[in-house]
Every structure is written in C-alpha cells, then in structure tokens.
C-alpha cells in the first residue's frame, strides 16, 4: 500500500537495514563516518519552532535540521501523522526518533 512497486519496496527495505545492526553483537552496530560537526549551531530551529506553543510547526523539518545531513528514514509515514517515528543518525550513530508533530 505504501510503495508503488516491488523495486521501491526493496529500496526502502535496504535503506532501513542500513540503520540496523546485523546481529545483537554491539560490534556490528552500523556507524557511518560523521562529517556533520557534532557541536554545530542550528539557527534554523529557532525559525522552525515558534515561541507560541499553540502555533503548529512541522517536527520533521526540525528533525532534519539536527540529524546528520538531514537524513531521516520515517517508519510508516502515512499512519498517525501527528506522531513521527523514524531512524536517523547523530555523530554517525543510529538513533530512533519519536516525536509529536503539531502541524
């Protein structure tokens, strides 16, 4: 239902597997070279998140600003669109992201 054809589904599966370890052994955790500076400033977040907590904003835009290279693999993006669940990387390490999407 989410993918137009088998090729798209296989590409998405390959991308998902790139975030996951190949076993439960910690030495197999996928770590990519981190070329985004860990201490970089992200001034766009101040623009993306409004001061008024009642003003909607897109959490996906915020996530893409703070993770490595804006790379985010969202899990089931068409389900519960008010919640974001995704895999991404920070400092080259895989992280799981869960957040409210108030937009």
């Amino acid at each position: 239902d989410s993918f137009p054809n088998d090729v798209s589904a296989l590409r998405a599966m390959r991308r998902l597997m790139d975030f996951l370890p190949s076993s439960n052994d910690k030495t197999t955790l996928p770590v990519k070279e981190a070329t985004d500076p860990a201490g970089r400033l992200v001034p766009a977040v101040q623009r993306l998140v409004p001061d008024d907590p009642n003003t909607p904003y897109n959490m996906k835009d915020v996530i893409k600003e703070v993770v490595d290279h804006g790379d985010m693999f969202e899990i089931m993006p068409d389900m519960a669109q008010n919640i974001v669940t995704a895999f991404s990387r920070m400092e080259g390490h895989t992280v799981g992201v869960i957040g409210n999407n108030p937009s």
Side-chain angles (χ1 to χ4, degrees):
D1 198 43
S2 295
F3 302 101
N5 56 49
D6 291 349
V7 173
S8 296
L10 289 171
R11 284 185 180 142
M13 181 59 69
R14 184 176 293 167
R15 187 154 148 63
L16 171 63
M17 296 305 288
D18 189 47
F19 286 99
L20 303 175
S22 59
S23 73
N24 65 349
D25 181 358
K26 288 184 180 181
T27 62
T28 67
L29 292 173
V31 179
K32 301 290 182 181
E33 182 180 351
T35 56
D36 267 358
R40 75 184 187 281
L41 297 178
V42 187
V45 172
Q46 291 180 341
R47 176 180 46 81
L48 293 170
V49 179
D51 292 331
D52 180 2
N54 295 319
T55 303
Y57 61 95
N58 191 336
M59 179 57 79
K60 294 175 192 178
D61 293 339
V62 175
I63 294 167
K64 288 177 183 178
E65 286 293 327
V66 298
V67 299
D68 291 353
H69 304 291
D71 186 24
M72 177 180 85
F73 182 81
E74 192 171 359
I75 308 298
M76 299 180 71
D78 297 329
M79 303 297 289
Q81 294 182 7
N82 61 325
I83 300 289
V84 177
T85 54
F87 285 106
S88 195
R89 287 194 175 80
M90 296 183 90
E91 295 186 34
H93 297 272
T94 297
V95 295
V97 179
I98 300 173
N100 280 336
N101 193 16
S103 67

